[in-house]
Amino acid sequence: MIRAGEPAWAPGSFLTLLTVAERDELLSLGTTRRLPGGRHLLVEGRQDTQVEVIRQGHVKITTTVGGMPRLLAIRLPGDLVGELAAITGNGRIATVTTCGDVVSTVIRQAEFLNFVNRHPHVAAQVTAAVGRKLRWANDRRSEFSAFPVHVRLGRVLLEIATSCGEAVGDTLLIRVELSQTELASLVGAREDTVQRALRDLRREGLVRTGYRRITVLDAAALRALTEKAEWL
């Protein structure tokens, strides 16, 4: 079990909601490995049923639509992935890919389900984790018709920067590389529309962009922009 130098779990992630004893027992059930960026932990459509606990680093959740991958979400240290296949026994509904170096503990379905059945509190947290993911997806879909693209983009960038950003002075550098195609998937817009929205946010001094790198320059102003839109 990796201990030395292991960073804190992301606030609100699955592991933070377990007791120390529950967390230690769960992680002891699996095999912990370190993987480089660009590796698939889980692949959409496959029939395997293990779960993965992300211990360090970030992963992207994608699905294939029309032959092209579409970014659905980003998972953080402390998050659980692959639990639906473990619970239902059905095939994978998405692909999980490492963003840079990732440390993950892989747990076989039988060990995971046995552990969950013996720990009602853990079972409740697994259910809650699935519910939060569904709510996040529903919130994004409801925003598609409620807000213009620059507001939807601002909301997503603020959320990502808050959850996996690195403070650089008064700014937040998003540590996960994001292409404009991936951003378009997250906000339900065409890529050229996202390009214009990014240009608007840059012009307002809210973000700075480089190749697959985005920095939130003024989180308070970006939050004000997204909150103001709720009242329009």
Side-chain angles (χ1 to χ4, degrees), residues 195-215:
Q195 291 174 355
R196 290 194 295 271
L198 279 173
R199 186 167 60 245
D200 291 342
L201 295 178
R202 287 196 301 266
R203 186 169 55 245
E204 294 295 324
L206 301 177
V207 303
R208 180 173 61 239
T209 62
Y211 178 69
R212 291 179 174 262
R213 304 289 281 184
I214 301 175
T215 302

PDB file of all heavy atoms in Angstrom, residues 195-215:
ATOM      1  N   GLN A 195     -14.390  27.946 -29.471  1.00  0.00           N
ATOM      2  CA  GLN A 195     -13.271  28.835 -29.767  1.00  0.00           C
ATOM      3  C   GLN A 195     -13.663  30.293 -29.555  1.00  0.00           C
ATOM      4  O   GLN A 195     -12.912  31.070 -28.960  1.00  0.00           O
ATOM      5  CB  GLN A 195     -12.793  28.618 -31.196  1.00  0.00           C
ATOM      6  CG  GLN A 195     -12.115  27.284 -31.440  1.00  0.00           C
ATOM      7  CD  GLN A 195     -11.793  27.067 -32.902  1.00  0.00           C
ATOM      8  OE1 GLN A 195     -12.150  27.868 -33.775  1.00  0.00           O
ATOM      9  NE2 GLN A 195     -11.112  25.968 -33.208  1.00  0.00           N
ATOM     10  N   ARG A 196     -14.846  30.670 -30.023  1.00  0.00           N
ATOM     11  CA  ARG A 196     -15.310  32.046 -29.839  1.00  0.00           C
ATOM     12  C   ARG A 196     -15.564  32.341 -28.363  1.00  0.00           C
ATOM     13  O   ARG A 196     -15.260  33.447 -27.887  1.00  0.00           O
ATOM     14  CB  ARG A 196     -16.573  32.280 -30.659  1.00  0.00           C
ATOM     15  CG  ARG A 196     -16.338  32.304 -32.169  1.00  0.00           C
ATOM     16  CD  ARG A 196     -17.537  32.868 -32.918  1.00  0.00           C
ATOM     17  NE  ARG A 196     -18.710  32.015 -32.779  1.00  0.00           N
ATOM     18  CZ  ARG A 196     -18.991  31.011 -33.601  1.00  0.00           C
ATOM     19  NH1 ARG A 196     -18.170  30.717 -34.602  1.00  0.00           N
ATOM     20  NH2 ARG A 196     -20.081  30.294 -33.433  1.00  0.00           N
ATOM     21  N   ALA A 197     -16.122  31.368 -27.648  1.00  0.00           N
ATOM     22  CA  ALA A 197     -16.384  31.567 -26.225  1.00  0.00           C
ATOM     23  C   ALA A 197     -15.085  31.752 -25.452  1.00  0.00           C
ATOM     24  O   ALA A 197     -14.992  32.607 -24.561  1.00  0.00           O
ATOM     25  CB  ALA A 197     -17.180  30.386 -25.671  1.00  0.00           C
ATOM     26  N   LEU A 198     -14.068  30.969 -25.780  1.00  0.00           N
ATOM     27  CA  LEU A 198     -12.760  31.133 -25.133  1.00  0.00           C
ATOM     28  C   LEU A 198     -12.178  32.509 -25.444  1.00  0.00           C
ATOM     29  O   LEU A 198     -11.582  33.162 -24.573  1.00  0.00           O
ATOM     30  CB  LEU A 198     -11.796  30.046 -25.608  1.00  0.00           C
ATOM     31  CG  LEU A 198     -11.906  28.679 -24.931  1.00  0.00           C
ATOM     32  CD1 LEU A 198     -11.012  27.673 -25.642  1.00  0.00           C
ATOM     33  CD2 LEU A 198     -11.539  28.773 -23.453  1.00  0.00           C
ATOM     34  N   ARG A 199     -12.349  32.952 -26.677  1.00  0.00           N
ATOM     35  CA  ARG A 199     -11.863  34.278 -27.052  1.00  0.00           C
ATOM     36  C   ARG A 199     -12.562  35.362 -26.224  1.00  0.00           C
ATOM     37  O   ARG A 199     -11.922  36.311 -25.763  1.00  0.00           O
ATOM     38  CB  ARG A 199     -12.089  34.507 -28.546  1.00  0.00           C
ATOM     39  CG  ARG A 199     -11.477  35.812 -29.053  1.00  0.00           C
ATOM     40  CD  ARG A 199     -11.442  35.846 -30.585  1.00  0.00           C
ATOM     41  NE  ARG A 199     -12.762  35.746 -31.163  1.00  0.00           N
ATOM     42  CZ  ARG A 199     -13.183  34.730 -31.905  1.00  0.00           C
ATOM     43  NH1 ARG A 199     -12.383  33.707 -32.155  1.00  0.00           N
ATOM     44  NH2 ARG A 199     -14.408  34.720 -32.409  1.00  0.00           N
ATOM     45  N   ASP A 200     -13.862  35.192 -26.006  1.00  0.00           N
ATOM     46  CA  ASP A 200     -14.592  36.163 -25.186  1.00  0.00           C
ATOM     47  C   ASP A 200     -14.082  36.167 -23.743  1.00  0.00           C
ATOM     48  O   ASP A 200     -13.904  37.232 -23.137  1.00  0.00           O
ATOM     49  CB  ASP A 200     -16.087  35.832 -25.192  1.00  0.00           C
ATOM     50  CG  ASP A 200     -16.740  36.077 -26.549  1.00  0.00           C
ATOM     51  OD1 ASP A 200     -16.140  36.814 -27.358  1.00  0.00           O
ATOM     52  OD2 ASP A 200     -17.829  35.535 -26.781  1.00  0.00           O
ATOM     53  N   LEU A 201     -13.834  34.976 -23.192  1.00  0.00           N
ATOM     54  CA  LEU A 201     -13.350  34.885 -21.809  1.00  0.00           C
ATOM     55  C   LEU A 201     -11.942  35.453 -21.685  1.00  0.00           C
ATOM     56  O   LEU A 201     -11.597  36.074 -20.670  1.00  0.00           O
ATOM     57  CB  LEU A 201     -13.390  33.433 -21.332  1.00  0.00           C
ATOM     58  CG  LEU A 201     -14.782  32.794 -21.216  1.00  0.00           C
ATOM     59  CD1 LEU A 201     -14.664  31.335 -20.785  1.00  0.00           C
ATOM     60  CD2 LEU A 201     -15.666  33.567 -20.244  1.00  0.00           C
ATOM     61  N   ARG A 202     -11.128  35.249 -22.713  1.00  0.00           N
ATOM     62  CA  ARG A 202      -9.785  35.851 -22.699  1.00  0.00           C
ATOM     63  C   ARG A 202      -9.871  37.369 -22.758  1.00  0.00           C
ATOM     64  O   ARG A 202      -9.144  38.075 -22.047  1.00  0.00           O
ATOM     65  CB  ARG A 202      -8.952  35.333 -23.887  1.00  0.00           C
ATOM     66  CG  ARG A 202      -8.476  33.905 -23.752  1.00  0.00           C
ATOM     67  CD  ARG A 202      -7.350  33.612 -24.752  1.00  0.00           C
ATOM     68  NE  ARG A 202      -7.784  33.834 -26.128  1.00  0.00           N
ATOM     69  CZ  ARG A 202      -8.263  32.891 -26.919  1.00  0.00           C
ATOM     70  NH1 ARG A 202      -8.394  31.649 -26.459  1.00  0.00           N
ATOM     71  NH2 ARG A 202      -8.619  33.162 -28.158  1.00  0.00           N
ATOM     72  N   ARG A 203     -10.739  37.877 -23.618  1.00  0.00           N
ATOM     73  CA  ARG A 203     -10.885  39.318 -23.773  1.00  0.00           C
ATOM     74  C   ARG A 203     -11.342  39.984 -22.464  1.00  0.00           C
ATOM     75  O   ARG A 203     -10.936  41.096 -22.156  1.00  0.00           O
ATOM     76  CB  ARG A 203     -11.867  39.626 -24.903  1.00  0.00           C
ATOM     77  CG  ARG A 203     -11.970  41.119 -25.221  1.00  0.00           C
ATOM     78  CD  ARG A 203     -12.732  41.368 -26.510  1.00  0.00           C
ATOM     79  NE  ARG A 203     -14.040  40.759 -26.488  1.00  0.00           N
ATOM     80  CZ  ARG A 203     -14.427  39.772 -27.287  1.00  0.00           C
ATOM     81  NH1 ARG A 203     -13.590  39.261 -28.187  1.00  0.00           N
ATOM     82  NH2 ARG A 203     -15.641  39.266 -27.203  1.00  0.00           N
ATOM     83  N   GLU A 204     -12.134  39.252 -21.690  1.00  0.00           N
ATOM     84  CA  GLU A 204     -12.611  39.774 -20.409  1.00  0.00           C
ATOM     85  C   GLU A 204     -11.571  39.613 -19.298  1.00  0.00           C
ATOM     86  O   GLU A 204     -11.803  40.033 -18.160  1.00  0.00           O
ATOM     87  CB  GLU A 204     -13.894  39.055 -20.000  1.00  0.00           C
ATOM     88  CG  GLU A 204     -15.081  39.324 -20.913  1.00  0.00           C
ATOM     89  CD  GLU A 204     -15.520  40.773 -20.878  1.00  0.00           C
ATOM     90  OE1 GLU A 204     -15.452  41.375 -19.788  1.00  0.00           O
ATOM     91  OE2 GLU A 204     -15.920  41.313 -21.930  1.00  0.00           O
ATOM     92  N   GLY A 205     -10.438  39.013 -19.621  1.00  0.00           N
ATOM     93  CA  GLY A 205      -9.382  38.826 -18.628  1.00  0.00           C
ATOM     94  C   GLY A 205      -9.682  37.740 -17.619  1.00  0.00           C
ATOM     95  O   GLY A 205      -9.117  37.728 -16.517  1.00  0.00           O
ATOM     96  N   LEU A 206     -10.536  36.787 -18.001  1.00  0.00           N
ATOM     97  CA  LEU A 206     -10.939  35.732 -17.073  1.00  0.00           C
ATOM     98  C   LEU A 206     -10.075  34.486 -17.195  1.00  0.00           C
ATOM     99  O   LEU A 206      -9.865  33.774 -16.199  1.00  0.00           O
ATOM    100  CB  LEU A 206     -12.405  35.370 -17.306  1.00  0.00           C
ATOM    101  CG  LEU A 206     -13.404  36.524 -17.143  1.00  0.00           C
ATOM    102  CD1 LEU A 206     -14.815  36.061 -17.459  1.00  0.00           C
ATOM    103  CD2 LEU A 206     -13.332  37.094 -15.730  1.00  0.00           C
ATOM    104  N   VAL A 207      -9.585  34.190 -18.395  1.00  0.00           N
ATOM    105  CA  VAL A 207      -8.753  33.008 -18.600  1.00  0.00           C
ATOM    106  C   VAL A 207      -7.588  33.340 -19.516  1.00  0.00           C
ATOM    107  O   VAL A 207      -7.613  34.330 -20.253  1.00  0.00           O
ATOM    108  CB  VAL A 207      -9.556  31.825 -19.202  1.00  0.00           C
ATOM    109  CG1 VAL A 207     -10.746  31.463 -18.332  1.00  0.00           C
ATOM    110  CG2 VAL A 207      -9.987  32.123 -20.624  1.00  0.00           C
ATOM    111  N   ARG A 208      -6.575  32.494 -19.457  1.00  0.00           N
ATOM    112  CA  ARG A 208      -5.461  32.531 -20.403  1.00  0.00           C
ATOM    113  C   ARG A 208      -5.318  31.131 -20.971  1.00  0.00           C
ATOM    114  O   ARG A 208      -5.404  30.147 -20.233  1.00  0.00           O
ATOM    115  CB  ARG A 208      -4.161  32.959 -19.705  1.00  0.00           C
ATOM    116  CG  ARG A 208      -2.960  33.004 -20.653  1.00  0.00           C
ATOM    117  CD  ARG A 208      -1.730  33.602 -19.984  1.00  0.00           C
ATOM    118  NE  ARG A 208      -1.304  32.837 -18.824  1.00  0.00           N
ATOM    119  CZ  ARG A 208      -1.209  33.319 -17.596  1.00  0.00           C
ATOM    120  NH1 ARG A 208      -1.529  34.580 -17.352  1.00  0.00           N
ATOM    121  NH2 ARG A 208      -0.816  32.561 -16.591  1.00  0.00           N
ATOM    122  N   THR A 209      -5.106  31.032 -22.279  1.00  0.00           N
ATOM    123  CA  THR A 209      -5.024  29.724 -22.912  1.00  0.00           C
ATOM    124  C   THR A 209      -3.697  29.555 -23.639  1.00  0.00           C
ATOM    125  O   THR A 209      -3.105  30.510 -24.123  1.00  0.00           O
ATOM    126  CB  THR A 209      -6.177  29.509 -23.915  1.00  0.00           C
ATOM    127  OG1 THR A 209      -6.079  30.497 -24.959  1.00  0.00           O
ATOM    128  CG2 THR A 209      -7.525  29.634 -23.237  1.00  0.00           C
ATOM    129  N   GLY A 210      -3.246  28.312 -23.671  1.00  0.00           N
ATOM    130  CA  GLY A 210      -2.100  27.908 -24.466  1.00  0.00           C
ATOM    131  C   GLY A 210      -2.451  26.572 -25.085  1.00  0.00           C
ATOM    132  O   GLY A 210      -3.612  26.155 -25.060  1.00  0.00           O
ATOM    133  N   TYR A 211      -1.468  25.858 -25.607  1.00  0.00           N
ATOM    134  CA  TYR A 211      -1.754  24.564 -26.212  1.00  0.00           C
ATOM    135  C   TYR A 211      -2.205  23.588 -25.138  1.00  0.00           C
ATOM    136  O   TYR A 211      -1.421  23.161 -24.295  1.00  0.00           O
ATOM    137  CB  TYR A 211      -0.529  24.019 -26.937  1.00  0.00           C
ATOM    138  CG  TYR A 211      -0.766  22.656 -27.542  1.00  0.00           C
ATOM    139  CD1 TYR A 211      -1.626  22.499 -28.624  1.00  0.00           C
ATOM    140  CD2 TYR A 211      -0.152  21.523 -27.013  1.00  0.00           C
ATOM    141  CE1 TYR A 211      -1.866  21.242 -29.185  1.00  0.00           C
ATOM    142  CE2 TYR A 211      -0.371  20.270 -27.561  1.00  0.00           C
ATOM    143  CZ  TYR A 211      -1.237  20.149 -28.639  1.00  0.00           C
ATOM    144  OH  TYR A 211      -1.479  18.909 -29.185  1.00  0.00           O
ATOM    145  N   ARG A 212      -3.500  23.244 -25.146  1.00  0.00           N
ATOM    146  CA  ARG A 212      -4.092  22.314 -24.186  1.00  0.00           C
ATOM    147  C   ARG A 212      -3.901  22.750 -22.734  1.00  0.00           C
ATOM    148  O   ARG A 212      -4.043  21.942 -21.810  1.00  0.00           O
ATOM    149  CB  ARG A 212      -3.539  20.891 -24.379  1.00  0.00           C
ATOM    150  CG  ARG A 212      -3.993  20.234 -25.674  1.00  0.00           C
ATOM    151  CD  ARG A 212      -3.394  18.841 -25.804  1.00  0.00           C
ATOM    152  NE  ARG A 212      -3.935  18.147 -26.967  1.00  0.00           N
ATOM    153  CZ  ARG A 212      -4.930  17.268 -26.916  1.00  0.00           C
ATOM    154  NH1 ARG A 212      -5.496  16.992 -25.758  1.00  0.00           N
ATOM    155  NH2 ARG A 212      -5.364  16.667 -28.008  1.00  0.00           N
ATOM    156  N   ARG A 213      -3.591  24.011 -22.503  1.00  0.00           N
ATOM    157  CA  ARG A 213      -3.394  24.512 -21.145  1.00  0.00           C
ATOM    158  C   ARG A 213      -4.301  25.712 -20.939  1.00  0.00           C
ATOM    159  O   ARG A 213      -4.338  26.633 -21.761  1.00  0.00           O
ATOM    160  CB  ARG A 213      -1.943  24.928 -20.912  1.00  0.00           C
ATOM    161  CG  ARG A 213      -0.938  23.856 -21.188  1.00  0.00           C
ATOM    162  CD  ARG A 213      -0.982  22.760 -20.145  1.00  0.00           C
ATOM    163  NE  ARG A 213      -0.296  23.118 -18.924  1.00  0.00           N
ATOM    164  CZ  ARG A 213      -0.144  22.280 -17.896  1.00  0.00           C
ATOM    165  NH1 ARG A 213      -0.669  21.080 -17.949  1.00  0.00           N
ATOM    166  NH2 ARG A 213       0.503  22.659 -16.821  1.00  0.00           N
ATOM    167  N   ILE A 214      -5.000  25.727 -19.822  1.00  0.00           N
ATOM    168  CA  ILE A 214      -5.906  26.821 -19.505  1.00  0.00           C
ATOM    169  C   ILE A 214      -5.652  27.271 -18.077  1.00  0.00           C
ATOM    170  O   ILE A 214      -5.536  26.440 -17.165  1.00  0.00           O
ATOM    171  CB  ILE A 214      -7.375  26.398 -19.673  1.00  0.00           C
ATOM    172  CG1 ILE A 214      -7.648  25.945 -21.109  1.00  0.00           C
ATOM    173  CG2 ILE A 214      -8.323  27.541 -19.291  1.00  0.00           C
ATOM    174  CD1 ILE A 214      -9.043  25.397 -21.322  1.00  0.00           C
ATOM    175  N   THR A 215      -5.557  28.581 -17.902  1.00  0.00           N
ATOM    176  CA  THR A 215      -5.389  29.168 -16.577  1.00  0.00           C
ATOM    177  C   THR A 215      -6.558  30.093 -16.296  1.00  0.00           C
ATOM    178  O   THR A 215      -6.889  30.951 -17.128  1.00  0.00           O
ATOM    179  CB  THR A 215      -4.076  29.967 -16.484  1.00  0.00           C
ATOM    180  OG1 THR A 215      -2.967  29.108 -16.783  1.00  0.00           O
ATOM    181  CG2 THR A 215      -3.893  30.546 -15.083  1.00  0.00           C
TER     182      THR A 215
END
